[in-house]
Amino acid sequence: MPASAHEAKSASAKAKPTKQKAPAKPLGDKFAKLGLRSEMDFVLHLPMRYEDETEIVPMRDAAMRGGSSAQIEGIITDCEIQYRPRRQLVVTIADETAQVVLRFLNFYGSQTKQMAVGNRVRARSEVRHGFFGAEMVHPHYKMVIEGAPLPSALTPVYHAGDGVSQTLLRKAIKVALDKLHWHDTLSAARLSKLKLIGFEEAVKFLHNPPPDADQHSLLSRHHPAWQRMKFDELLAQQLSLKRAQAARRAKGATALSVVGELCNAFMMSLPFALTNAQERVLAELRRDLKQNYPMQRLLQGDVGSGKTIVAALAAAQAIDSGFQAALMAPTEILADQHFRKIAAWLAPLGITTAWLTGSLKAKEKREAQALIASGEAQLVIGTHALIQDAVQFAKLGLIIVDEQHRFGVAQRLSLRNKGGSNNSGGNLLHNAQGHIPHQLMMSATPIPRTLAMTYYADLEVSVIDELPPGRTPIVTRVVDQTRREEVIERVHAAALEGKQVYWVCPLIEESEALQLQTATDTHAMLSAALPDLRVGLVHGRLKPAEKQAVMGAFTENQLQVLVATTVIEVGVDVPNASLMVIEHAERFGLSQLHQLRGRVGRGAAASVCLLLYQGPLGGTAKERLRTMRESNDGFAIARKDLQLRGPGEFLGARQSGEAMLRFANLDSDQDLVEQARQLASELLATDPATVAAHLQRWMGHREEFLRV
Ligand code: ADP
Ligand code: MG
């Protein structure tokens, strides 16, 4: 609908000789929002699909084709504003074969004037059978004179945005296509070897395909023109990937090569044996840390798969090698839990661990900073306060980021710069210049590998794909909230058996105040309903010390029921808790539900998760709850989530930049990926000029960003 309004407006504007040009700057800003800045940006803004405006269909045929789209042209025979059932503009047009009604529910006064009887109009839309015969509702249209030429190519439809209409985009792209200094980054010999068509030919074809072009191969992107674009894009990805790898290797880090006393003592002191998956991942980390260039590894593992201990063992290697390790968590609760647990493991082995969060008093903060700066603290655990400017590490060798997807881009950047600041900042790292810490990121939101590669230029991935033994799978039930009383009874029964219970309050995105209120109310309600139990409450607005006190009491089984907001979503580990109730589960995202549910099922007792919902449920909400009921597998759930939400939102990447791949797909374009990989190696070895030109064309400003 907006498109038709724009077209109509610009069509009428065209008729006036005094047409005002839109002021250049705001429009430029709007284009920039779509990522369109340079000529090449416009040229590479390829159509999503096409409309066929190359032929006029006689109205009688159009009417018979009811339901499908057609373009018709005729003389206006009637134009009136009707008021029933609501105000609308009704225009009748006719050609030699039949007549069709055009119906506009929203219209401008100027349109009423345009539609004078006797004027000629060209309209395009789906034809429907209305009460008075064939009609089009809100067609795209323009006023024409008899014999006005038809386009000779299919009309491209672009991804447009706020304030940027198709018409504006088409014009701007046409200008760019005309002005561009065409140059193919691939030589004719290479193209013929790869059986690809030329760049200019491919681009021009995609923007203006002739009427007889095979629309199917255009839409499915199998057309040779698309193959060329996809190949170029994949080549750019491979080049930038390899370059990022090379740059990382060139940076240099200190090899943390000692797996010594601490590692061994720590391993011996563990109350359990590592799973095979943990062993495998630990071996990958050990090997990486021994390299003299910085590791950049993402450790993925389902909730409860035991990532923490693997990370702690990696930290032990850094310490054994004479360096510091830092562990950063996204919430105070989680950082606190890591601190208690890991410090308890390591303190008996003579290791000093410092604790640093934003909520420390100034004096405590100074003390922690002093421990870190002197190197006395071999391990530092905290929130993102760790990467703030005032913190100077004596010799940081490894930084571990837990639940890394919870950190914003700014924080990830600052982390990277923290490493880099060693270049200028003197002695953050031991002796050698330019050394930066190894980096281990952890996430329980498993990203399919191909997707990770679409978004991150240079990241190795390790996967823990096995849960520690002795866990009984969590049973998940979806329960209508009208059965709350029964649920409360169930909580009571579980507590009497010595089990602990989480009660998660609904997510209220619009209002944090309301969310807190609900949590407080729920706490009061449960305390009243369960007078013989001790019920605690934790939420984001508690002071850190209060939070710690509540979490500590729950961990030590002094509280049987913990009413909580989503502050407990990530990481919290209380193995004796085996019942979880989530209220208004329909409001949560799939990955979030899985994370929350992961707070139970951590001990040997059979665990249950009750998802309370309020009906009626929409289609997606129903799908989410069904998935939760049917699956405990984080990877399967992540795939489903991805499918329901789309990759941008899934990765939280919407604000953090575009995916590196817009056209190609790492799964379905395997052959092209392989060819691109080979050519990338060859070009990097022999042809730096082509590498530079190709990357400039495809990555522009994006490459740097994607390395974060
Ligand atoms: P996540 O991967 O979600 O961060 P954690 O590291 O918190 O999981 O581990 C979950 C629980 O499993 C912890 O209580 C931890 O001590 C325990 N755990 C980890 N590895 C093993 C193992 N190999 N055998 C038994 N328990 C383990
Ligand atoms: Mg964890």
Side-chain angles (χ1 to χ4, degrees):
M1 221 172 59
S4 93
H6 281 305
E7 281 200 5
K9 259 204 263 175
S10 66
S12 68
K14 231 181 269 168
K16 291 180 207 147
T18 54
K19 183 192 168 194
Q20 295 265 312
K21 264 208 164 159
K25 193 151 176 254
L27 185 59
D29 288 352
K30 286 174 189 164
F31 281 137
K33 257 195 173 166
L34 289 170
L36 303 175
R37 294 176 187 88
S38 68
E39 264 164 29
M40 189 54 83
D41 292 338
F42 282 92
V43 164
L44 292 179
H45 196 65
L46 297 175
M48 300 184 293
R49 59 188 174 83
Y50 303 91
E51 271 162 12
D52 190 350
E53 294 177 287
T54 60
E55 63 164 357
I56 302 264
V57 180
M59 290 186 197
R60 192 184 47 211
D61 299 353
M64 287 191 324
R65 278 193 208 170
S68 64
S69 189
Q71 177 167 254
I72 56 177
E73 184 177 313
I75 303 285
I76 296 172
T77 58
D78 186 49
C79 173
E80 59 174 329
I81 298 176
Q82 291 179 358
Y83 291 90
R84 292 218 174 146
R86 53 177 281 196
R87 190 167 174 271
Q88 51 186 286
L89 181 66
V90 180
V91 179
T92 310
I93 63 173
D95 65 6
E96 299 76 38
T97 62
Q99 67 173 34
V100 171
V101 167
L102 312 183
R103 210 175 273 284
F104 299 91
L105 301 174
N106 300 307
F107 58 96
Y108 302 100
S110 61
Q111 276 173 293
T112 327
K113 293 208 190 88
Q114 277 183 333
M115 297 291 181
V117 170
N119 283 353
R120 178 176 278 269
V121 66
R122 192 176 281 172
R124 179 171 46 80
S125 179
E126 203 173 284
V127 188
R128 297 197 209 160
H129 293 287
F131 191 65
F132 299 105
E135 63 175 43
M136 289 181 169
V137 180
H138 275 282
H140 298 259
Y141 75 92
K142 56 181 163 194
M143 313 309 297
V144 290
I145 49 166
E146 189 162 6
L150 285 163
S152 59
L154 295 173
T155 308
V157 180
Y158 297 102
H159 172 67
D162 273 351
V164 179
S165 67
Q166 291 294 329
T167 317
L168 278 172
L169 262 175
R170 280 176 201 148
K171 270 191 206 153
I173 290 171
K174 184 173 178 336
V175 170
L177 286 170
D178 289 344
K179 280 215 310 219
L180 190 78
H181 173 68
W182 291 93
H183 156 76
D184 205 318
T185 51
L186 301 182
S187 67
R190 285 208 173 96
L191 289 178
S192 81
K193 201 171 139 206
L194 292 160
K195 301 197 173 58
L196 291 171
I197 67 172
F199 179 69
E200 180 175 359
E201 186 191 342
V203 169
K204 289 189 168 166
F205 186 94
L206 291 175
H207 284 293
N208 294 301
D212 61 351
D214 174 13
Q215 282 231 41
H216 177 73
S217 74
L218 282 175
L219 288 181
S220 67
R221 299 188 174 172
H222 283 103
H223 191 280
W226 270 119
Q227 294 293 106
R228 171 63 206 262
M229 303 317 286
K230 292 198 284 192
F231 180 83
D232 273 24
E233 181 178 53
L234 287 166
L235 178 62
Q237 188 204 29
Q238 291 297 325
L239 288 171
S240 91
L241 203 88
K242 287 185 195 245
R243 270 216 326 198
Q245 262 165 10
R248 175 160 62 91
R249 287 176 186 216
K251 263 185 204 149
T254 307
L256 305 172
S257 45
V258 186
V259 175
E261 235 171 278
L262 177 64
C263 289
N264 296 334
F266 188 8
M267 199 66 123
M268 298 289 283
S269 73
L270 289 181
F272 46 71
L274 295 185
T275 62
N276 289 334
Q278 285 172 316
E279 290 279 10
R280 173 171 41 76
V281 169
L282 182 60
E284 287 166 356
L285 296 179
R286 291 238 188 280
R287 194 193 55 219
D288 275 12
L289 293 175
K290 287 179 184 170
Q291 309 282 8
N292 58 4
Y293 54 85
M295 167 173 89
Q296 210 165 80
R297 194 170 272 280
L298 175 67
L299 168 50
Q300 302 190 334
D302 204 350
V303 280
S305 61
K307 296 183 288 293
T308 317
I309 187 66
V310 177
L313 285 162
Q317 181 171 343
I319 298 168
D320 259 344
S321 308
F323 286 81
Q324 292 170 299
L327 169 60
M328 182 165 92
T331 65
E332 291 232 10
I333 289 186
L334 186 52
D336 178 58
Q337 177 189 287
H338 281 323
F339 179 68
R340 284 163 194 255
K341 214 180 206 178
I342 297 175
W345 279 332
L346 294 181
L349 304 173
I351 299 304
T352 305
T353 306
W355 160 249
L356 188 65
T357 71
S359 68
L360 286 183
K361 297 203 183 72
K363 182 164 166 278
E364 298 166 321
K365 207 177 272 180
R366 273 198 306 277
E367 283 168 8
Q369 284 165 357
L371 281 179
I372 298 169
S374 70
E376 198 180 330
Q378 293 123 311
L379 181 61
V380 188
I381 296 179
T383 57
H384 65 271
L386 281 184
I387 49 173
Q388 273 150 10
D389 283 344
V391 187
Q392 298 283 312
F393 287 85
K395 38 184 187 171
L396 183 59
L398 168 65
I399 179 145
I400 302 164
V401 184
D402 196 14
E403 309 289 351
Q404 69 98 28
H405 60 284
R406 284 306 203 87
F407 288 95
V409 175
Q411 287 160 335
R412 283 184 234 167
L413 258 177
S414 133
L415 182 65
R416 192 179 74 181
N417 293 339
K418 192 91 204 158
S421 69
N422 299 313
N423 294 334
S424 51
N427 63 348
L428 286 189
L429 267 187
H430 185 67
N431 57 46
Q433 271 239 322
H435 282 191
I436 70 172
H438 297 277
Q439 244 192 71
L440 173 63
M441 288 149 284
M442 302 198 284
S443 170
T445 303
I447 311 169
R449 198 184 147 64
T450 49
L451 186 64
M453 279 183 61
T454 309
Y455 278 83
Y456 303 107
D458 175 29
L459 195 66
E460 323 264 3
V461 180
S462 290
V463 182
I464 301 186
D465 50 5
E466 180 185 1
L467 291 180
R471 303 249 171 102
T472 348
I474 305 167
V475 174
T476 302
R477 299 244 177 282
V478 177
V479 183
D480 192 311
Q481 68 145 12
T482 53
R483 293 171 54 197
R484 227 163 183 248
E485 292 300 318
E486 287 169 54
V487 172
I488 294 174
E489 270 168 40
R490 187 148 183 184
V491 168
H492 193 209
L496 293 183
E497 285 172 29
K499 294 175 180 163
Q500 287 176 278
V501 184
Y502 291 102
W503 187 293
V504 180
C505 295
L507 181 71
I508 303 173
E509 275 182 342
E510 312 81 62
S511 158
E512 202 197 339
L514 207 56
Q515 181 157 338
L516 281 185
Q517 188 56 49
T518 315
T520 317
D521 294 349
T522 309
H523 178 246
M525 180 277 289
L526 281 174
S527 303
L530 304 166
D532 54 334
L533 299 183
R534 281 179 305 262
V535 183
L537 170 65
V538 66
H539 56 69
R541 277 300 171 87
L542 289 183
K543 296 214 179 71
E546 295 169 329
K547 261 189 241 171
Q548 277 165 29
V550 178
M551 290 311 297
F554 191 61
T555 310
E556 277 147 39
N557 203 355
Q558 290 157 10
L559 296 170
Q560 281 96 55
V561 181
L562 182 64
V563 176
T565 58
T566 50
V567 288
I568 59 149
E569 178 184 338
V570 289
V572 173
D573 183 37
V574 180
N576 191 49
S578 59
L579 175 58
M580 168 163 287
V581 180
I582 303 180
E583 280 202 79
H584 280 289
E586 77 278 1
R587 293 187 194 163
F588 291 87
L590 199 40
S591 293
Q592 201 175 16
L593 285 173
H594 181 64
Q595 285 271 351
L596 280 168
R597 180 175 61 180
R599 299 311 112 219
V600 295
R602 295 183 158 244
S607 291
V608 174
C609 177
L610 302 177
L611 301 175
L612 263 60
Y613 71 91
Q614 179 169 30
L617 290 176
T620 317
K622 216 179 259 173
E623 190 74 17
R624 286 198 298 257
L625 296 182
R626 178 179 335 130
T627 307
M628 286 298 293
R629 195 185 60 213
E630 288 171 359
S631 178
N632 265 314
D633 173 349
F635 280 83
I637 289 174
R639 273 195 299 276
K640 188 75 195 179
D641 200 17
L642 178 63
Q643 182 193 331
L644 292 175
R645 282 199 292 169
E649 207 171 323
F650 175 81
L651 289 173
R654 238 186 356 189
Q655 291 132 357
S656 68
E658 307 136 80
M660 209 187 272
L661 295 174
R662 288 179 285 169
F663 307 132
N665 179 309
L666 291 172
D667 283 321
S668 55
D669 294 318
Q670 280 291 339
D671 294 352
L672 287 175
V673 174
E674 196 39 50
Q675 287 181 323
R677 205 191 310 264
Q678 281 170 21
L679 184 58
S681 300
E682 186 189 320
L683 291 176
L684 282 166
T686 61
D687 194 348
T690 297
V691 171
H694 196 81
L695 278 175
Q696 171 57 33
R697 169 170 297 175
W698 278 91
M699 292 295 172
H701 54 278
R702 293 188 303 156
E703 193 188 12
E704 181 59 22
F705 199 63
L706 284 158
R707 255 184 247 156
V708 178

